[in-house]
């Protein structure tokens, strides 16, 4: 659970678990006790991990408690269980591992509220944890891209960039995923960002790679 220190608008949610996930419940409990569902899937499918945006933003007041609840089924009765017979599964980023995420995208009313929210989240997102999450999302994105799941890979790259947008390699890999989908306009925009980040980081090699790929994308666009 997490209690909101400011009023926000909820724009979307991103649930994530692997093959043993069974149910995901994400909801907001308002200060008066009323429950507002953000997402509810009672028969989870690994293929449903994605970003879901609301048709209209959901306004939540300060003091609202956000709750994530995952239920798993590591039994032979689970038709999606990749292990027959079932075996012990630990936390990890591989599909053969298991994890639980429910990322909630929110928009505070003003910059002061944004600062308050970020400061309140510091206890969860220390630099060490952010670095780990960036690496995990980047690695998972590469795994998905290698499997030809480019749309899912892009979602992972975007998750890494939202956490820390200073790694040109993440932008380069995301540009390649867009190119694999023949979305060269997006590939160009992301590759341009990769070059800018590489210049800021003083990485001549990645800057060169980015510029060469830009030429390719622009020819194909």
């Amino acid at each position: 659970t997490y209690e909101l220190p400011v009023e926000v608008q909820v724009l979307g949610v991103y649930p994530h678990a692997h093959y043993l996930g069974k149910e995901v419940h994400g909801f907001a409990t308002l200060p008066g006790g009323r429950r507002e569902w953000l997402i509810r899937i009672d028969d989870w499918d690994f293929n449903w991990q994605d970003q879901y945006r609301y048709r209209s933003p959901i306004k939540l007041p300060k003091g609202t408690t956000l709750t994530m609840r995952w239920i798993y089924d590591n039994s032979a009765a689970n038709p999606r269980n990749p292990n027959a017979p079932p075996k012990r599964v630990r936390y990890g980023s591989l599909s053969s591992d298991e994890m639980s995420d429910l990322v909630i995208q929110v928009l505070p009313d003003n910059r002061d509220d944004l600062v308050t929210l970020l400061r309140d989240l510091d206890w969860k997102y220390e630099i060490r944890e952010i670095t780990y999450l960036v690496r995990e999302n980047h690695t998972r994105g590469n795994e998905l891209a290698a499997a030809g799941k480019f749309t899912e890979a892009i979602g992972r790259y975007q998750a890494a960039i939202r956490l820390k947008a200073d790694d040109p390699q993440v932008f380069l890999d995301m540009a390649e995923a867009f190119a694999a989908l023949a979305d060269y306009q997006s590939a160009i925009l992301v590759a341009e960002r990769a070059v800018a980040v590489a210049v800021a980081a003083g990485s001549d090699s990645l800057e060169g790679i980015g510029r060469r790929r830009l030429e390719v994308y622009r020819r194909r666009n």
Side-chain angles (χ1 to χ4, degrees), residues 81-156:
N81 194 334
N83 302 309
K87 67 178 184 180
R88 185 177 186 182
V89 176
R90 298 178 181 272
Y91 171 81
S93 63
L94 298 178
S95 298
S96 57
D97 303 321
E98 196 49 82
M99 60 165 55
S100 63
D101 281 324
L102 183 61
V103 179
I104 302 175
Q105 184 182 35
V106 301
L107 178 66
D109 286 342
N110 53 63
R111 183 159 185 81
D112 288 342
D113 283 353
L114 173 61
V115 171
T116 298
L117 181 62
L118 292 176
R119 286 175 176 169
D120 193 62
L121 286 168
D122 278 347
W123 68 274
K124 277 192 173 182
Y125 297 106
E126 296 176 352
I127 296 299
R128 182 177 61 184
E129 292 171 335
I130 289 176
T131 300
Y132 170 78
L133 291 171
V134 169
R135 184 175 65 250
E136 288 294 297
N137 278 295
H138 188 191
T139 299
R140 181 59 182 149
N142 289 342
E143 292 170 351
L144 289 166
K149 298 180 179 181
F150 300 109
T151 300
E152 295 177 37
I154 289 168
R156 282 295 187 154

Side-chain angles (χ1 to χ4, degrees), residues 37-76:
W37 282 99
L38 302 177
I39 191 168
R40 177 171 178 170
I41 299 176
D42 291 329
D43 188 13
W44 170 256
D45 188 307
F46 180 68
N47 294 313
W48 293 347
Q49 51 178 318
D50 205 344
Q51 293 179 328
Y52 297 91
R53 294 189 176 276
Y54 300 109
R55 186 170 298 169
S56 300
I58 300 173
K59 195 168 187 176
L60 298 179
K62 175 182 178 180
T64 296
T65 298
L66 303 177
T67 300
M68 173 187 81
R69 181 171 185 256
W70 275 98
I71 296 175
Y72 298 89
D73 183 358
N74 189 18
S75 72

Side-chain angles (χ1 to χ4, degrees), residues 162-182:
R162 282 196 299 269
L163 289 164
K164 199 174 183 184
D166 64 353
D167 186 345
Q169 188 62 59
V170 180
F171 286 98
L172 288 172
D173 291 340
M174 184 163 68
E176 283 287 271
F178 275 119
L181 294 172

